[in-house]
Amino acid sequence: MHRWSSLDDVPTDLGPTVATLGNFDGVHRGHRAVLGTVVDLAAGRGLAAVAVTFDPHPVAVLHPERAPEAIVGLEHRLALLEEVGLDGVVVIEFTREYAQLTPEDFVVQTFVEGLRAQVVVVGQDTRFGLHNSGDVETMRELGERYGFEVVVQQTEGEFERGRRAWSSTALREALATGDMDTATEILAREHRVSGEVVHGHKRGRELGYPTANLSTRSEGMVPADGVYAGWLERPSLPPGHPDRRLPAAISVGTNPTFDDVVRRTVEAYVLDRDDLDLYGEVVWVDFVERLRGNVRFASVEDLMEQMAQDVDRTRALLA
């Protein structure tokens, strides 16, 4: 998959395209419904399949005080977009100046001139242009004016609690409450946080459960405080390596039993392993299920007893 940092970088010999636009934060099932339609239509017509996305998130530029936390980092987002089967992705730097483009100017610059789109695929809630004033009907009108077809893809699915859109908002709500079942359902995969393993207080090792502590500069939305069953993956190792993907009990939070931890941390104990030296290594932590919330224990002995139970439950869940 080609990655372009601006429309000017798109090669002139790419040819006509089937294209779409979006933040694609999380690349969840709603996004994949749109992207899958792009790929299928492009394959059927012999065209290139291209997505346009933005970095940073537009809200982070226009209203930083209420900017949503990124569900995935940019590199992970691009890797997920590549998995869908796109031929290329344009990552446009979103600025206040760029936000002043009218819906028509945005469409002409992006789809008519930049990508020579024959088809533009959008979700039913797509908004674009100055003040998000462009919508699906605007896109249809512009398609008629400039000669491209517009396909509107539904992005809803059946939840256990009723029908609602597969959306980044619903996904953030699930992660914020530690509802990994819903998060996994929306994503169609486990949620991931990635980061470099750094030195911590080494308290886990002292208690018999050495943990890999992720840097506070990790990427991916950290779910609610608590203890989770999940996986620690080492992307530096080749696929199929026995130590590439390892079962882990994961702790998120400040560990309220001890008063010297003031920052939220993500730390993963790889089950039954005390021989791993992961310092300085970038790892992926995938969350499967929340076992419990954080608790202040009356003694270290009580904490150790609970940790043993957490490990047993994690082993049973991941078996």
Side-chain angles (χ1 to χ4, degrees), residues 273-317:
R273 296 291 295 270
D274 59 6
D275 60 328
L276 298 173
D277 183 3
L278 302 176
Y279 292 120
E281 187 173 334
V282 174
V283 300
W284 300 339
V285 175
D286 294 344
F287 293 80
V288 175
E289 184 171 321
R290 188 173 190 245
L291 305 179
R292 61 176 176 85
N294 279 349
V295 178
R296 176 184 287 271
F297 291 92
S299 66
V300 172
E301 290 73 22
D302 290 345
L303 171 61
M304 292 180 64
E305 181 179 349
Q306 181 61 60
M307 291 170 67
Q309 295 176 19
D310 295 337
V311 168
D312 288 342
R313 287 189 62 194
T314 297
R315 185 180 289 109
L317 280 167

Side-chain angles (χ1 to χ4, degrees), residues 126-152:
T126 294
R127 308 293 299 216
F128 58 95
L130 181 64
H131 302 312
N132 269 342
S133 55
D135 57 14
V136 169
E137 290 307 313
T138 311
M139 188 68 78
R140 285 195 175 110
E141 292 169 5
L142 293 170
E144 291 178 2
R145 188 179 309 167
Y146 291 100
F148 60 84
E149 179 184 351
V150 176
V151 174
V152 181

Side-chain angles (χ1 to χ4, degrees), residues 6-312:
S6 76
L7 290 164
D8 293 336
D9 295 336
V10 178
T12 56
D13 60 356
L14 178 66
T17 67
V18 177
T20 189
L21 73 155
N23 293 307
F24 303 118
D25 190 10
V27 194
H28 53 66
R29 290 173 70 168
H31 297 143
R32 287 175 180 263
V34 173
L35 295 162
T37 298
V38 171
V39 171
D40 291 345
L41 287 174
R45 303 186 188 199
L47 305 175
V50 179
V52 176
T53 192
F54 309 99
D55 186 64
H57 194 290
V59 179
V61 174
L62 300 176
H63 305 286
E65 72 283 355
R66 54 184 175 89
E69 184 175 357
I71 296 168
V72 299
L74 178 60
E75 286 305 311
H76 190 195
R77 189 189 346 163
L78 291 171
L80 292 168
L81 290 172
E82 183 171 11
E83 289 178 6
V84 174
L86 294 170
D87 296 301
V89 174
V90 185
V91 182
I92 293 177
E93 180 184 6
F94 196 91
T95 63
R96 287 186 173 273
E97 181 181 7
Y98 184 79
Q100 299 306 306
L101 287 175
T102 66
E104 182 171 1
D105 287 343
F106 168 79
V107 167
V108 170
Q109 177 178 302
T110 304
F111 297 120
V112 179
E113 298 175 350
L115 297 175
R116 288 178 287 165
Q118 290 189 4
V119 184
V120 176
V121 182
V122 294
Q124 72 267 28
D125 296 326
T126 294
R127 308 293 299 216
F128 58 95
L130 181 64
H131 302 312
N132 269 342
S133 55
D135 57 14
V136 169
E137 290 307 313
T138 311
M139 188 68 78
R140 285 195 175 110
E141 292 169 5
L142 293 170
E144 291 178 2
R145 188 179 309 167
Y146 291 100
F148 60 84
E149 179 184 351
V150 176
V151 174
V152 181
Q153 174 65 52
Q154 297 299 309
T155 58
E156 292 185 337
E158 295 291 343
F159 282 74
E160 290 183 3
R161 293 179 295 279
R163 191 173 182 84
R164 64 182 294 190
W166 305 120
S167 71
S168 298
T169 298
L171 178 54
R172 286 191 185 90
E173 291 173 356
L175 294 173
T177 59
D179 181 0
M180 303 316 298
D181 287 342
T182 297
T184 301
E185 184 181 1
I186 296 172
L187 286 168
R189 68 179 188 276
E190 293 150 1
H191 176 60
R192 172 172 294 171
V193 173
S194 63
E196 181 183 352
V197 177
V198 298
H199 290 276
H201 290 269
K202 295 185 171 59
R203 187 165 287 120
R205 182 172 297 278
E206 295 171 359
L207 299 178
Y209 299 96
T211 59
N213 296 266
L214 267 60
S215 165
T216 55
R217 295 186 298 276
S218 60
E219 292 192 342
M221 181 174 172
V222 177
D225 289 2
V227 176
Y228 296 78
W231 302 90
L232 182 144
E233 188 158 351
R234 305 172 67 187
S236 61
L237 298 179
H241 191 288
D243 280 351
R244 164 125 182 169
R245 185 167 168 85
L246 302 166
I250 306 158
S251 175
V252 175
T254 60
N255 199 338
T257 301
F258 302 96
D259 295 326
D260 57 351
V261 182
V262 295
R263 292 184 179 179
R264 291 184 80 216
T265 61
V266 176
E267 49 186 314
Y269 164 65
V270 175
L271 302 193
D272 309 314
R273 296 291 295 270
D274 59 6
D275 60 328
L276 298 173
D277 183 3
L278 302 176
Y279 292 120
E281 187 173 334
V282 174
V283 300
W284 300 339
V285 175
D286 294 344
F287 293 80
V288 175
E289 184 171 321
R290 188 173 190 245
L291 305 179
R292 61 176 176 85
N294 279 349
V295 178
R296 176 184 287 271
F297 291 92
S299 66
V300 172
E301 290 73 22
D302 290 345
L303 171 61
M304 292 180 64
E305 181 179 349
Q306 181 61 60
M307 291 170 67
Q309 295 176 19
D310 295 337
V311 168
D312 288 342

